[in-house]
Amino acid sequence: MQSNGAGQGQESSELPCLNSAQNGESSSAGGTHSNGLLSSADNGNGVGTSNGSSVGPCSGTSATSTASSSEVGSLKKKKRLSQAEEDVIRLIGQHLHGLGLNQTVDLLMQESGCRLEHPSASKFRSHVMEGEWDKAENDLNELRALMHSPNAIVRMKFLLLQQKYLEYLEDGKVLEALQVLRGELTPLKYNTDRIHVLSGYLMCSHAEDLRAKAEWEGKGTASRSRLLDKLQTYLPPSVMLPPRRLHTLLRQAVELQRDRCLYHNTKLDNNLDSVSLLLDHVCSRKQFPCYTQQILTEHCNEVWFCKFSNDGTKLATGSKDTTVIIWQVDPESHQLKLLRTLEGHAYGVSYLAWSPDDTYLIACGPDDCSELWLWNVQTGELRTKMSQSHEDSLTSVAWNPDGKRFVTGGQRGQFYQCDLDGNLLDSWEGVRVQCLWCLGDGKTVLASDTHQRIRGYNFEDLTDRNIVQEDHPIMSFTVSKNGRLALLNVATQGVHLWDLQDRVLVRKYQGVTQGFYTIHSCFGGHNEDFIASGSEDHKVYIWHRRGELPIAELTGHTRTVNCVSWNPAIPGLMASASDDGTVRIWGPAPFLDSQEADGLNENSSNMDS
């Protein structure tokens, strides 16, 4: 332990219960389904009855009339469907239609007295998919009255004409395409920038060139379906359902359950085939790194720092005993074994930083250490031992993303940028550095200082700006992989999460005991959904990033836990370093009895847990 001084509306004419409305998309025979999806005008093969259900070819016999009267009576006795029930029927109908089960859709709509979509929308859909652009434009006039925003007609017409233009070009009908561009698209006086881009496609020498430059699938079902999806966004759902609406709702439900799952720690997969829809999503705490898998006791004094390599295959630990130990992670068992020991750090090792490609490791000492060691991890050789002045304090370091430079500094006012041989490239005067981080842009260096803030420094144009301001000393900080979030350990306050882009405090995590000792926290798990920190009460605390209360408190250490590191490649593996002289490796429960295993398999394995 080191001490340190720092809704949308529905129209009654549009919806569900049929009143002599036609309901269907064309069948293979070219007839009319009773589900509201048509491909052409009513050809007499299906007749909408006064009760809203299609009864097939009209024979005119008394038997048919009797049957119709009987059906009318039975429908009148049925309970009227609620709005929610009608919506569910339409969603199911749309999904079944997408599977090609048109006859089943017909029967569902006939029996329920609902329709899948407005007849005008069905006709519009058919004309778009058939490439009958003039008819599709005429359909827009019918749809105008059903739309909440009549101005959207211009946008829809633009999209139709754009598809028409591109298809003419692909077919080599340049004159027809030019006529569409000049005589139909341009007079709309809409999105002139896009019209200029479209005009450039006239120079395309062949169809493949056109499709590549326009990023367009080409004439056919795929591009017209995509067009229809765009057009639908301008129509109320009561007129035409959004594409694959049931699938969208199910995916959202699965994602919501995962978001609410405290221990979900696997790669996100939005494919519904990867989960079971028959069970709620559950992840067990026993699958989470809450259990001691290994205790590393090779250090003979306080362990101040630990850090997994970027590829997750190694762990580096630094101790007051003047050594750095490199551990190899077994890819199968996740057990660690000693790979090599790096010696000679007279003041002890309080900070470690892996190079981006994991070839090198830099070791720093505590406040009174003016030296920095750059080791070749592969060979175990010391490449550089850097010291600018005996009065320096080099306690923190961060690698530039290019792996050819690093920045280092300390609380005595040193702030240097150096190459791999320790040569000084740049320096910033008068900055008392507590902790450092290089952002992914390769230009900006974040530094926490003795003024309880984090500032961004640009060594290229020599500018700096304030990003984070706390009310208490920032003992350490780390940044998420995407560079958006920063995790701070703040003296007497604990762990704080900041949004670096918006420059706002997002969350304060509760439970941890943090005084004026340097404790290092980390992001972890798949998608960095979790946060872990050591504590002066001898525990490791884990939080879900979105919750202030800890989801796990890990016990086992007997003195302050100085640092935690979550394996970036194995989301179920974590390490913690303590003043008790040990490094603990945490993982899932080592074994489960058969009943627990069955329960986890049923509730979790099938749910991509």
Side-chain angles (χ1 to χ4, degrees):
M1 170 165 57
Q2 310 163 67
S3 67
N4 200 311
Q8 288 176 318
Q10 305 273 345
E11 298 186 29
S12 59
S13 63
E14 299 168 6
L15 248 167
C17 291
L18 291 167
N19 291 309
S20 302
Q22 299 160 344
N23 279 337
E25 169 150 56
S26 61
S27 67
S28 58
T32 308
H33 288 299
S34 61
N35 58 29
L37 300 172
L38 337 159
S39 61
S40 60
D42 186 7
N43 60 13
N45 292 334
V47 179
T49 67
S50 60
N51 65 14
S53 59
S54 176
V55 297
C58 186
S59 64
T61 64
S62 59
T64 303
S65 300
T66 302
S68 296
S69 299
S70 175
E71 289 181 16
V72 170
S74 64
L75 280 175
K76 285 182 179 178
K77 293 178 184 177
K78 288 182 180 178
K79 181 185 112 175
R80 177 170 178 81
L81 298 175
S82 68
Q83 185 62 59
E85 290 168 333
E86 291 174 352
D87 290 346
V88 170
I89 288 172
R90 294 178 67 211
L91 291 173
I92 293 172
Q94 183 194 45
H95 187 71
L96 293 174
H97 173 71
L99 297 175
L101 303 177
N102 289 328
Q103 291 184 358
T104 305
V105 178
D106 292 345
L107 185 59
L108 176 63
M109 295 301 147
Q110 175 181 323
E111 190 170 356
S112 65
C114 297
R115 69 183 176 204
L116 202 51
E117 59 186 21
H118 195 280
S120 297
S122 302
K123 191 166 54 170
F124 179 62
R125 176 194 298 277
S126 175
H127 290 153
V128 170
M129 293 306 296
E130 293 298 325
E132 297 179 336
W133 307 117
D134 292 339
K135 291 182 179 180
E137 279 191 64
N138 291 332
D139 296 334
L140 287 179
N141 295 325
E142 295 182 27
L143 292 170
R144 184 191 298 267
L146 304 175
M147 298 172 62
H148 298 313
S149 175
N151 294 333
I153 289 290
V154 175
R155 301 170 190 169
M156 295 178 73
K157 190 172 182 180
F158 185 91
L159 291 172
L160 281 175
L161 293 173
Q162 177 179 253
Q163 179 79 11
K164 179 180 178 181
Y165 168 76
L166 291 173
E167 290 194 7
Y168 274 147
L169 280 183
E170 187 182 47
D171 289 340
K173 300 178 180 179
V174 179
L175 292 179
E176 289 87 341
L178 192 58
Q179 175 57 34
V180 171
L181 187 68
R182 291 178 175 175
E184 299 182 68
L185 276 167
T186 303
L188 290 177
K189 296 181 180 179
Y190 173 76
N191 202 349
T192 54
D193 290 341
R194 177 61 179 167
I195 289 178
H196 290 153
V197 172
L198 291 174
S199 64
Y201 299 153
L202 288 165
M203 307 303 294
C204 292
S205 56
H206 48 76
E208 289 78 7
D209 187 28
L210 171 67
R211 288 193 289 267
K213 289 184 177 177
E215 297 179 353
W216 178 62
E217 297 96 327
K219 178 180 178 180
T221 302
S223 65
R224 291 173 182 175
S225 295
R226 190 179 296 272
L227 169 64
L228 204 56
D229 288 350
K230 292 179 182 178
L231 292 167
Q232 183 281 324
T233 61
Y234 298 103
L235 295 171
S238 55
V239 176
M240 180 185 285
L241 283 173
R244 298 170 293 282
R245 183 60 183 160
L246 181 60
H247 184 278
T248 299
L249 290 173
L250 291 173
R251 190 182 71 249
Q252 290 173 350
V254 170
E255 290 174 356
L256 181 61
Q257 288 191 19
R258 283 176 175 167
D259 286 345
R260 291 179 175 177
C261 179
L262 292 178
Y263 300 107
H264 188 75
N265 190 26
T266 58
K267 187 176 181 180
L268 293 181
D269 188 348
N270 292 327
N271 185 359
L272 289 181
D273 292 336
S274 67
V275 301
S276 169
L277 299 177
L278 306 181
L279 293 167
D280 284 347
H281 176 81
V282 177
C283 287
S284 169
R285 187 180 188 273
K286 294 188 176 182
Q287 300 166 287
F288 204 67
C290 296
Y291 303 85
T292 300
Q293 288 191 336
Q294 198 175 355
I295 302 177
L296 309 178
T297 59
E298 276 72 7
H299 284 294
C300 56
N301 210 325
E302 297 174 358
V303 186
W304 287 339
F305 200 82
C306 63
K307 185 70 173 178
F308 280 106
S309 58
N310 297 294
D311 63 6
T313 63
K314 297 178 183 67
L315 174 71
T317 56
S319 170
K320 186 179 180 180
D321 67 7
T322 74
T323 68
V324 173
I325 298 180
I326 308 297
W327 309 84
Q328 185 73 45
V329 180
D330 187 283
E332 300 297 329
S333 67
H334 299 168
Q335 292 288 301
L336 277 70
K337 64 178 181 180
L338 194 152
L339 183 63
R340 60 173 44 92
T341 301
L342 310 175
E343 300 177 336
H345 311 87
Y347 295 88
V349 178
S350 62
Y351 197 84
L352 296 165
W354 291 89
S355 63
D357 63 359
D358 295 327
T359 299
Y360 298 105
L361 182 73
I362 296 179
C364 297
D367 287 344
D368 49 356
C369 179
S370 62
E371 298 173 325
L372 173 150
W373 292 261
L374 193 156
W375 295 91
N376 185 316
V377 179
Q378 311 299 328
T379 64
E381 296 176 351
L382 180 64
R383 170 160 179 170
T384 304
K385 183 178 179 181
M386 179 189 127
S387 179
Q388 294 294 323
S389 166
H390 292 296
E391 297 180 356
D392 282 357
S393 171
L394 303 181
T395 58
S396 185
V397 67
W399 285 89
N400 188 285
D402 64 12
K404 299 176 181 178
R405 296 169 287 162
F406 62 87
V407 290
T408 183
Q411 287 200 359
R412 296 178 183 171
Q414 294 76 41
F415 190 8
Y416 304 135
Q417 182 170 226
C418 308
D419 63 18
L420 296 184
D421 295 319
N423 298 315
L424 188 63
L425 302 177
D426 298 287
S427 65
W428 209 292
E429 298 295 330
V431 181
R432 297 182 181 273
V433 173
Q434 176 72 22
C435 191
L436 293 166
W437 194 274
C438 290
L439 292 184
D441 61 7
K443 301 176 182 178
T444 307
V445 178
L446 301 183
S448 61
D449 57 30
T450 53
H451 296 286
Q452 306 168 2
R453 63 190 180 181
I454 295 177
R455 293 179 65 80
Y457 296 86
N458 189 315
F459 274 94
E460 292 189 2
D461 58 18
L462 299 180
T463 59
D464 61 312
R465 58 194 175 97
N466 206 41
I467 297 177
V468 169
Q469 181 67 59
E470 283 279 1
D471 296 326
H472 298 80
I474 301 170
M475 309 309 295
S476 69
F477 75 94
T478 186
V479 178
S480 61
K481 290 178 182 177
N482 62 11
R484 178 70 186 262
L485 300 173
L487 194 60
L488 284 59
N489 282 75
V490 183
T492 72
Q493 302 300 300
V495 181
H496 292 180
L497 182 69
W498 279 78
D499 186 315
L500 297 178
Q501 182 172 311
D502 295 338
R503 303 185 192 182
V504 295
L505 176 62
V506 177
R507 195 160 287 110
K508 296 180 179 181
Y509 297 100
Q510 301 179 21
V512 68
T513 302
Q514 168 85 58
F516 284 91
Y517 294 103
T518 300
I519 292 177
H520 300 272
S521 56
C522 67
F523 293 95
H526 267 298
N527 312 299
E528 296 190 319
D529 283 334
F530 303 99
I531 284 165
S533 178
S535 176
E536 293 180 23
D537 63 4
H538 314 168
K539 297 178 183 178
V540 174
Y541 287 83
I542 302 177
W543 301 266
H544 196 286
R545 199 172 70 194
R546 290 187 295 274
E548 295 181 357
L549 297 177
I551 62 173
E553 298 178 17
L554 312 186
T555 58
H557 285 295
T558 57
R559 293 181 64 189
T560 295
V561 181
N562 298 308
C563 183
V564 290
S565 179
W566 209 305
N567 192 298
I570 307 171
L573 195 65
M574 187 173 65
S576 59
S578 170
D579 281 348
D580 64 12
T582 69
V583 175
R584 283 186 176 250
I585 306 301
W586 306 87
F591 61 87
L592 302 170
D593 62 38
S594 58
Q595 184 177 358
E596 289 174 325
D598 290 342
L600 288 181
N601 288 335
E602 179 182 355
N603 291 321
S604 302
S605 297
N606 292 333
M607 297 292 293
D608 185 32
S609 297

